[in-house]
């Protein structure tokens, strides 16, 4: 009888402990849920106020969230279309391209180039070809506000803005080779660190460009439209996923050291050699320009150290230009990681001096 009573008492104690633990777990889960809900609400409303984020030095959180739902020009049906040689290209005509911080009109000529120079001011018999990605294309600024347009109009030259979002060096060079434009007097080539993937793939595939099928392009476009849609807790999910990915990538970069950067210039050099011989005497300026907080001199330094002499043999009028000290966080949008109007003006002023001068710094 005593044993039975002891068993009942012990059972009651265990049940009470279990209940307390269970209640604590529910309280904890409730607290977590409330905290996440409040965080989601705070993030949602903070994105309606870019100026509120402008006082923060590192806008990593906001930029990660905005990237999850921003319009991407190469997947907008009204702005871009599939291309069997380049995966996609800009469509001739005009289209509206807007996001939280900008609302622009993109005008594309029949060759698929963004309008770059004002035909009413040209009186010099000179031509400039601008190669690059979305930063050269002018993501977030009007036609006349891109650095290519500013330079072309100041120098009174014919400007060809051949920049396309997410193009790497390979597609930029191939696009110039295939164009019907006259041989330019100047080629300005903007390199970005995300060119690495395309240039490496080209190198590893025996100089063959990996072109996606039309079905795959349409599938990616459909997925992009779905992922853009907002659902509650989306911002919190993107935030924690972004933090995890950020630290994972950082650890990978630390473990690789400088070896990857050296290999990066090998891929670039292989791609740039695909420029047709007719461009040999053209004045060629190469510089690196990246998104917010990612500008440094490591690529240009590695390229100069390993390949400058070889590049000079191929292109005698080449200039390797460093711009890492010219831009700061204020020259980029708050949420979007692309240059604003002030950034384009700075790059235009820098490039103009080198287009007209002989310096190689």
């Amino acid at each position: 009888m005593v044993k039975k009573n002891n068993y009942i008492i012990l059972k009651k104690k265990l049940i009470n402990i279990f209940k307390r633990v269970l209640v604590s777990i529910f309280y904890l889960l409730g607290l977590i849920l409330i905290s996440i809900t409040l965080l989601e609400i705070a993030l949602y409303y903070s994105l309606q106020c870019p100026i509120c984020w402008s006082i923060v030095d590192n806008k990593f959180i906001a930029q990660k969230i905005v990237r999850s739902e921003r319009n991407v020009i190469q997947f907008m049906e009204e702005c871009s279309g599939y291309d069997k040689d380049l995966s996609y290209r800009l469509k001739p005509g005009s289209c509206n391209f807007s996001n939280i911080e900008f609302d622009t009109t993109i005008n594309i000529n029949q060759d698929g180039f963004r309008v770059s120079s004002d035909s009413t001011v040209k009186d010099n018999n000179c031509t400039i070809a601008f190669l690059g990605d979305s930063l050269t294309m002018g993501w977030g600024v009007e036609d006349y506000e891109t650095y290519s347009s500013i330079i072309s109009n100041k120098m009174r030259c014919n400007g060809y803005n051949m920049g396309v979002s997410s193009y790497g060096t390979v597609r930029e060079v191939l696009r110039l080779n295939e164009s019907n434009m006259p041989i330019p007097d100047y080629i300005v080539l903007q390199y970005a660190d995300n060119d690495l993937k395309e240039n490496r793939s080209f190198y590893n595939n025996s100089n063959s460009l990996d072109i996606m099928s039309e079905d795959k392009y349409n599938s990616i476009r459909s997925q992009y439209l779905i992922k853009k849609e907002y659902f509650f807790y989306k911002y919190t999910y993107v935030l924690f996923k972004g933090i995890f990915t950020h630290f994972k990538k950082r650890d990978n970069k630390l473990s690789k050291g400088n070896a990857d950067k050296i290999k990066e210039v090998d891929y670039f050099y292989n791609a740039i050699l695909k420029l047709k011989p007719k461009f040999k005497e053209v004045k060629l300026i190469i510089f690196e320009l990246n998104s917010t907080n990612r500008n440094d001199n490591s690529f240009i330094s590695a390229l100069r150290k390993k390949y400058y002499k070889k590049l000079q043999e191929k292109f005698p009028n080449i200039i390797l230009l460093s711009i890492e000290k010219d831009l700061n966080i204020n020259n980029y949008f708050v949420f979007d990681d692309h240059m604003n109007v002030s950034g384009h003006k700075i790059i235009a002023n820098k490039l103009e001096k080198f287009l007209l001068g002989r310096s190689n710094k």
Side-chain angles (χ1 to χ4, degrees), residues 236-268:
T236 308
Y237 167 75
V238 172
L239 169 62
F240 286 112
K241 181 182 177 183
I243 291 172
F244 173 78
T245 305
H246 173 74
F247 283 106
K248 186 177 179 181
K249 284 183 177 179
R250 189 186 69 171
D251 291 340
N252 287 339
K253 285 182 179 179
L254 289 173
S255 64
K256 289 179 181 178
N258 292 324
D260 221 36
K261 187 61 66 176
I262 294 172
K263 201 68 177 173
E264 188 174 347
V265 299
D266 293 338
Y267 303 138
F268 174 82

mmCIF file of all heavy atoms in Angstrom, residues 236-268:
data_model
loop_
_atom_site.group_PDB
_atom_site.id
_atom_site.type_symbol
_atom_site.label_atom_id
_atom_site.label_comp_id
_atom_site.label_asym_id
_atom_site.label_seq_id
_atom_site.Cartn_x
_atom_site.Cartn_y
_atom_site.Cartn_z
ATOM 1 N N THR A 236 11.465 38.434 -42.270
ATOM 2 C CA THR A 236 12.218 37.797 -41.187
ATOM 3 C C THR A 236 12.963 36.574 -41.706
ATOM 4 O O THR A 236 14.132 36.347 -41.362
ATOM 5 C CB THR A 236 11.273 37.385 -40.045
ATOM 6 O OG1 THR A 236 10.482 38.508 -39.663
ATOM 7 C CG2 THR A 236 12.051 36.897 -38.843
ATOM 8 N N TYR A 237 12.292 35.806 -42.534
ATOM 9 C CA TYR A 237 12.918 34.615 -43.129
ATOM 10 C C TYR A 237 14.132 35.011 -43.974
ATOM 11 O O TYR A 237 15.214 34.426 -43.846
ATOM 12 C CB TYR A 237 11.893 33.877 -43.991
ATOM 13 C CG TYR A 237 12.497 32.823 -44.891
ATOM 14 C CD1 TYR A 237 12.925 31.601 -44.384
ATOM 15 C CD2 TYR A 237 12.650 33.065 -46.260
ATOM 16 C CE1 TYR A 237 13.496 30.643 -45.213
ATOM 17 C CE2 TYR A 237 13.215 32.117 -47.091
ATOM 18 C CZ TYR A 237 13.635 30.908 -46.562
ATOM 19 O OH TYR A 237 14.203 29.973 -47.378
ATOM 20 N N VAL A 238 13.955 36.024 -44.829
ATOM 21 C CA VAL A 238 15.048 36.482 -45.693
ATOM 22 C C VAL A 238 16.208 37.011 -44.852
ATOM 23 O O VAL A 238 17.380 36.781 -45.154
ATOM 24 C CB VAL A 238 14.554 37.574 -46.669
ATOM 25 C CG1 VAL A 238 15.719 38.195 -47.428
ATOM 26 C CG2 VAL A 238 13.542 36.988 -47.649
ATOM 27 N N LEU A 239 15.871 37.700 -43.757
ATOM 28 C CA LEU A 239 16.891 38.262 -42.877
ATOM 29 C C LEU A 239 17.792 37.182 -42.291
ATOM 30 O O LEU A 239 19.023 37.243 -42.418
ATOM 31 C CB LEU A 239 16.222 39.056 -41.752
ATOM 32 C CG LEU A 239 17.123 39.487 -40.586
ATOM 33 C CD1 LEU A 239 18.224 40.415 -41.078
ATOM 34 C CD2 LEU A 239 16.298 40.149 -39.496
ATOM 35 N N PHE A 240 17.190 36.171 -41.655
ATOM 36 C CA PHE A 240 17.987 35.135 -41.003
ATOM 37 C C PHE A 240 18.712 34.250 -42.023
ATOM 38 O O PHE A 240 19.849 33.832 -41.789
ATOM 39 C CB PHE A 240 17.105 34.287 -40.084
ATOM 40 C CG PHE A 240 16.707 35.003 -38.827
ATOM 41 C CD1 PHE A 240 15.396 35.378 -38.608
ATOM 42 C CD2 PHE A 240 17.652 35.331 -37.867
ATOM 43 C CE1 PHE A 240 15.023 36.065 -37.458
ATOM 44 C CE2 PHE A 240 17.299 36.002 -36.709
ATOM 45 C CZ PHE A 240 15.981 36.378 -36.504
ATOM 46 N N LYS A 241 18.077 34.017 -43.147
ATOM 47 C CA LYS A 241 18.742 33.255 -44.215
ATOM 48 C C LYS A 241 19.942 34.028 -44.746
ATOM 49 O O LYS A 241 21.012 33.461 -44.983
ATOM 50 C CB LYS A 241 17.755 32.975 -45.353
ATOM 51 C CG LYS A 241 18.365 32.166 -46.495
ATOM 52 C CD LYS A 241 17.359 31.968 -47.625
ATOM 53 C CE LYS A 241 18.007 31.216 -48.778
ATOM 54 N NZ LYS A 241 17.063 31.071 -49.927
ATOM 55 N N GLY A 242 19.763 35.349 -44.907
ATOM 56 C CA GLY A 242 20.847 36.185 -45.407
ATOM 57 C C GLY A 242 22.022 36.238 -44.451
ATOM 58 O O GLY A 242 23.177 36.220 -44.877
ATOM 59 N N ILE A 243 21.732 36.322 -43.151
ATOM 60 C CA ILE A 243 22.801 36.352 -42.144
ATOM 61 C C ILE A 243 23.600 35.051 -42.179
ATOM 62 O O ILE A 243 24.834 35.049 -42.165
ATOM 63 C CB ILE A 243 22.215 36.588 -40.739
ATOM 64 C CG1 ILE A 243 21.654 38.010 -40.635
ATOM 65 C CG2 ILE A 243 23.277 36.368 -39.663
ATOM 66 C CD1 ILE A 243 20.892 38.279 -39.370
ATOM 67 N N PHE A 244 22.875 33.922 -42.254
ATOM 68 C CA PHE A 244 23.547 32.612 -42.303
ATOM 69 C C PHE A 244 24.423 32.498 -43.550
ATOM 70 O O PHE A 244 25.589 32.087 -43.480
ATOM 71 C CB PHE A 244 22.502 31.496 -42.287
ATOM 72 C CG PHE A 244 23.072 30.126 -42.494
ATOM 73 C CD1 PHE A 244 23.709 29.455 -41.461
ATOM 74 C CD2 PHE A 244 22.979 29.495 -43.735
ATOM 75 C CE1 PHE A 244 24.248 28.198 -41.649
ATOM 76 C CE2 PHE A 244 23.513 28.238 -43.934
ATOM 77 C CZ PHE A 244 24.148 27.582 -42.880
ATOM 78 N N THR A 245 23.880 32.886 -44.709
ATOM 79 C CA THR A 245 24.622 32.811 -45.966
ATOM 80 C C THR A 245 25.828 33.736 -45.955
ATOM 81 O O THR A 245 26.899 33.393 -46.456
ATOM 82 C CB THR A 245 23.698 33.177 -47.150
ATOM 83 O OG1 THR A 245 22.543 32.338 -47.128
ATOM 84 C CG2 THR A 245 24.426 32.999 -48.474
ATOM 85 N N HIS A 246 25.655 34.915 -45.377
ATOM 86 C CA HIS A 246 26.740 35.901 -45.316
ATOM 87 C C HIS A 246 27.956 35.350 -44.576
ATOM 88 O O HIS A 246 29.084 35.440 -45.052
ATOM 89 C CB HIS A 246 26.234 37.167 -44.629
ATOM 90 C CG HIS A 246 27.308 38.183 -44.369
ATOM 91 N ND1 HIS A 246 27.868 38.960 -45.369
ATOM 92 C CD2 HIS A 246 27.940 38.537 -43.219
ATOM 93 C CE1 HIS A 246 28.789 39.743 -44.850
ATOM 94 N NE2 HIS A 246 28.853 39.523 -43.555
ATOM 95 N N PHE A 247 27.713 34.765 -43.403
ATOM 96 C CA PHE A 247 28.833 34.247 -42.616
ATOM 97 C C PHE A 247 29.436 32.993 -43.241
ATOM 98 O O PHE A 247 30.641 32.765 -43.156
ATOM 99 C CB PHE A 247 28.383 33.968 -41.180
ATOM 100 C CG PHE A 247 28.250 35.218 -40.355
ATOM 101 C CD1 PHE A 247 27.005 35.717 -40.031
ATOM 102 C CD2 PHE A 247 29.372 35.906 -39.934
ATOM 103 C CE1 PHE A 247 26.879 36.883 -39.293
ATOM 104 C CE2 PHE A 247 29.263 37.069 -39.187
ATOM 105 C CZ PHE A 247 28.005 37.562 -38.869
ATOM 106 N N LYS A 248 28.613 32.217 -43.911
ATOM 107 C CA LYS A 248 29.115 31.027 -44.596
ATOM 108 C C LYS A 248 30.034 31.430 -45.741
ATOM 109 O O LYS A 248 31.123 30.860 -45.914
ATOM 110 C CB LYS A 248 27.941 30.197 -45.128
ATOM 111 C CG LYS A 248 28.354 28.870 -45.737
ATOM 112 C CD LYS A 248 27.139 28.077 -46.183
ATOM 113 C CE LYS A 248 27.559 26.753 -46.814
ATOM 114 N NZ LYS A 248 26.383 25.968 -47.286
ATOM 115 N N LYS A 249 29.629 32.435 -46.529
ATOM 116 C CA LYS A 249 30.458 32.908 -47.633
ATOM 117 C C LYS A 249 31.729 33.541 -47.126
ATOM 118 O O LYS A 249 32.797 33.387 -47.709
ATOM 119 C CB LYS A 249 29.668 33.913 -48.483
ATOM 120 C CG LYS A 249 28.624 33.290 -49.390
ATOM 121 C CD LYS A 249 27.962 34.352 -50.237
ATOM 122 C CE LYS A 249 26.957 33.721 -51.207
ATOM 123 N NZ LYS A 249 26.280 34.763 -52.025
ATOM 124 N N ARG A 250 31.617 34.288 -46.028
ATOM 125 C CA ARG A 250 32.797 34.944 -45.471
ATOM 126 C C ARG A 250 33.836 33.927 -45.034
ATOM 127 O O ARG A 250 35.025 34.071 -45.283
ATOM 128 C CB ARG A 250 32.403 35.814 -44.276
ATOM 129 C CG ARG A 250 33.537 36.704 -43.778
ATOM 130 C CD ARG A 250 33.175 37.429 -42.516
ATOM 131 N NE ARG A 250 33.075 36.506 -41.393
ATOM 132 C CZ ARG A 250 32.947 36.895 -40.121
ATOM 133 N NH1 ARG A 250 32.870 38.171 -39.826
ATOM 134 N NH2 ARG A 250 32.864 36.000 -39.156
ATOM 135 N N ASP A 251 33.382 32.841 -44.411
ATOM 136 C CA ASP A 251 34.303 31.786 -43.979
ATOM 137 C C ASP A 251 34.976 31.131 -45.175
ATOM 138 O O ASP A 251 36.166 30.806 -45.143
ATOM 139 C CB ASP A 251 33.557 30.729 -43.151
ATOM 140 C CG ASP A 251 33.110 31.284 -41.799
ATOM 141 O OD1 ASP A 251 33.680 32.298 -41.357
ATOM 142 O OD2 ASP A 251 32.184 30.702 -41.197
ATOM 143 N N ASN A 252 34.202 30.927 -46.252
ATOM 144 C CA ASN A 252 34.769 30.325 -47.461
ATOM 145 C C ASN A 252 35.834 31.221 -48.076
ATOM 146 O O ASN A 252 36.878 30.762 -48.529
ATOM 147 C CB ASN A 252 33.661 30.062 -48.485
ATOM 148 C CG ASN A 252 32.782 28.891 -48.076
ATOM 149 O OD1 ASN A 252 33.188 28.056 -47.271
ATOM 150 N ND2 ASN A 252 31.575 28.838 -48.607
ATOM 151 N N LYS A 253 35.554 32.555 -48.099
ATOM 152 C CA LYS A 253 36.518 33.504 -48.656
ATOM 153 C C LYS A 253 37.795 33.543 -47.835
ATOM 154 O O LYS A 253 38.896 33.612 -48.367
ATOM 155 C CB LYS A 253 35.894 34.897 -48.717
ATOM 156 C CG LYS A 253 34.870 35.062 -49.838
ATOM 157 C CD LYS A 253 34.334 36.479 -49.877
ATOM 158 C CE LYS A 253 33.334 36.636 -51.013
ATOM 159 N NZ LYS A 253 32.784 38.017 -51.057
ATOM 160 N N LEU A 254 37.665 33.492 -46.511
ATOM 161 C CA LEU A 254 38.837 33.523 -45.640
ATOM 162 C C LEU A 254 39.704 32.291 -45.847
ATOM 163 O O LEU A 254 40.931 32.347 -45.800
ATOM 164 C CB LEU A 254 38.401 33.617 -44.175
ATOM 165 C CG LEU A 254 37.793 34.968 -43.749
ATOM 166 C CD1 LEU A 254 37.259 34.867 -42.326
ATOM 167 C CD2 LEU A 254 38.816 36.086 -43.842
ATOM 168 N N SER A 255 39.053 31.162 -46.090
ATOM 169 C CA SER A 255 39.798 29.915 -46.259
ATOM 170 C C SER A 255 40.521 29.864 -47.606
ATOM 171 O O SER A 255 41.566 29.240 -47.745
ATOM 172 C CB SER A 255 38.855 28.708 -46.127
ATOM 173 O OG SER A 255 37.894 28.713 -47.157
ATOM 174 N N LYS A 256 39.957 30.561 -48.622
ATOM 175 C CA LYS A 256 40.561 30.531 -49.948
ATOM 176 C C LYS A 256 41.737 31.502 -50.080
ATOM 177 O O LYS A 256 42.633 31.292 -50.873
ATOM 178 C CB LYS A 256 39.500 30.864 -51.005
ATOM 179 C CG LYS A 256 38.485 29.743 -51.192
ATOM 180 C CD LYS A 256 37.445 30.125 -52.225
ATOM 181 C CE LYS A 256 36.416 29.016 -52.409
ATOM 182 N NZ LYS A 256 35.368 29.391 -53.381
ATOM 183 N N GLY A 257 41.691 32.613 -49.328
ATOM 184 C CA GLY A 257 42.765 33.601 -49.387
ATOM 185 C C GLY A 257 42.835 34.278 -50.743
ATOM 186 O O GLY A 257 41.823 34.541 -51.377
ATOM 187 N N ASN A 258 44.071 34.550 -51.225
ATOM 188 C CA ASN A 258 44.258 35.269 -52.478
ATOM 189 C C ASN A 258 44.295 34.365 -53.706
ATOM 190 O O ASN A 258 44.330 34.852 -54.831
ATOM 191 C CB ASN A 258 45.565 36.075 -52.424
ATOM 192 C CG ASN A 258 45.484 37.205 -51.427
ATOM 193 O OD1 ASN A 258 44.435 37.820 -51.271
ATOM 194 N ND2 ASN A 258 46.589 37.478 -50.745
ATOM 195 N N ALA A 259 44.287 33.077 -53.506
ATOM 196 C CA ALA A 259 44.394 32.149 -54.638
ATOM 197 C C ALA A 259 43.255 32.340 -55.626
ATOM 198 O O ALA A 259 43.453 32.316 -56.843
ATOM 199 C CB ALA A 259 44.408 30.710 -54.122
ATOM 200 N N ASP A 260 42.045 32.576 -55.098
ATOM 201 C CA ASP A 260 40.888 32.736 -55.970
ATOM 202 C C ASP A 260 40.994 34.012 -56.795
ATOM 203 O O ASP A 260 40.577 34.050 -57.945
ATOM 204 C CB ASP A 260 39.610 32.762 -55.125
ATOM 205 C CG ASP A 260 38.491 31.975 -55.784
ATOM 206 O OD1 ASP A 260 38.797 30.950 -56.402
ATOM 207 O OD2 ASP A 260 37.326 32.400 -55.687
ATOM 208 N N LYS A 261 41.545 35.078 -56.195
ATOM 209 C CA LYS A 261 41.677 36.341 -56.911
ATOM 210 C C LYS A 261 42.665 36.200 -58.068
ATOM 211 O O LYS A 261 42.460 36.755 -59.151
ATOM 212 C CB LYS A 261 42.147 37.437 -55.949
ATOM 213 C CG LYS A 261 42.152 38.824 -56.537
ATOM 214 C CD LYS A 261 40.771 39.269 -56.980
ATOM 215 C CE LYS A 261 39.813 39.446 -55.830
ATOM 216 N NZ LYS A 261 38.498 39.976 -56.267
ATOM 217 N N ILE A 262 43.738 35.445 -57.854
ATOM 218 C CA ILE A 262 44.714 35.207 -58.916
ATOM 219 C C ILE A 262 44.065 34.426 -60.053
ATOM 220 O O ILE A 262 44.258 34.741 -61.230
ATOM 221 C CB ILE A 262 45.940 34.454 -58.352
ATOM 222 C CG1 ILE A 262 46.693 35.349 -57.357
ATOM 223 C CG2 ILE A 262 46.873 34.021 -59.477
ATOM 224 C CD1 ILE A 262 47.791 34.644 -56.605
ATOM 225 N N LYS A 263 43.284 33.427 -59.703
ATOM 226 C CA LYS A 263 42.579 32.646 -60.717
ATOM 227 C C LYS A 263 41.544 33.500 -61.447
ATOM 228 O O LYS A 263 41.304 33.335 -62.643
ATOM 229 C CB LYS A 263 41.889 31.447 -60.042
ATOM 230 C CG LYS A 263 41.570 30.302 -60.989
ATOM 231 C CD LYS A 263 42.822 29.612 -61.483
ATOM 232 C CE LYS A 263 42.478 28.419 -62.367
ATOM 233 N NZ LYS A 263 43.666 27.816 -62.991
ATOM 234 N N GLU A 264 40.952 34.430 -60.720
ATOM 235 C CA GLU A 264 39.934 35.313 -61.291
ATOM 236 C C GLU A 264 40.496 36.113 -62.460
ATOM 237 O O GLU A 264 39.823 36.281 -63.479
ATOM 238 C CB GLU A 264 39.405 36.252 -60.200
ATOM 239 C CG GLU A 264 38.214 37.089 -60.634
ATOM 240 C CD GLU A 264 37.633 37.882 -59.470
ATOM 241 O OE1 GLU A 264 37.988 37.599 -58.313
ATOM 242 O OE2 GLU A 264 36.833 38.795 -59.723
ATOM 243 N N VAL A 265 41.711 36.610 -62.339
ATOM 244 C CA VAL A 265 42.296 37.381 -63.439
ATOM 245 C C VAL A 265 42.657 36.481 -64.616
ATOM 246 O O VAL A 265 42.684 36.941 -65.765
ATOM 247 C CB VAL A 265 43.529 38.213 -62.981
ATOM 248 C CG1 VAL A 265 43.134 39.221 -61.920
ATOM 249 C CG2 VAL A 265 44.662 37.331 -62.516
ATOM 250 N N ASP A 266 42.929 35.206 -64.344
ATOM 251 C CA ASP A 266 43.163 34.257 -65.441
ATOM 252 C C ASP A 266 41.915 34.118 -66.296
ATOM 253 O O ASP A 266 41.981 34.135 -67.527
ATOM 254 C CB ASP A 266 43.546 32.878 -64.894
ATOM 255 C CG ASP A 266 44.892 32.869 -64.195
ATOM 256 O OD1 ASP A 266 45.702 33.772 -64.477
ATOM 257 O OD2 ASP A 266 45.126 31.970 -63.371
ATOM 258 N N TYR A 267 40.769 33.983 -65.635
ATOM 259 C CA TYR A 267 39.502 33.852 -66.353
ATOM 260 C C TYR A 267 39.201 35.127 -67.146
ATOM 261 O O TYR A 267 38.727 35.064 -68.290
ATOM 262 C CB TYR A 267 38.357 33.568 -65.381
ATOM 263 C CG TYR A 267 38.548 32.335 -64.519
ATOM 264 C CD1 TYR A 267 38.209 32.348 -63.164
ATOM 265 C CD2 TYR A 267 39.040 31.160 -65.061
ATOM 266 C CE1 TYR A 267 38.378 31.219 -62.371
ATOM 267 C CE2 TYR A 267 39.211 30.026 -64.274
ATOM 268 C CZ TYR A 267 38.882 30.061 -62.929
ATOM 269 O OH TYR A 267 39.051 28.948 -62.142
ATOM 270 N N PHE A 268 39.471 36.267 -66.525
ATOM 271 C CA PHE A 268 39.213 37.539 -67.199
ATOM 272 C C PHE A 268 40.119 37.697 -68.415
ATOM 273 O O PHE A 268 39.663 38.087 -69.501
ATOM 274 C CB PHE A 268 39.431 38.704 -66.233
ATOM 275 C CG PHE A 268 39.334 40.055 -66.892
ATOM 276 C CD1 PHE A 268 38.100 40.640 -67.122
ATOM 277 C CD2 PHE A 268 40.478 40.724 -67.318
ATOM 278 C CE1 PHE A 268 37.999 41.887 -67.738
ATOM 279 C CE2 PHE A 268 40.387 41.964 -67.937
ATOM 280 C CZ PHE A 268 39.148 42.540 -68.149
#
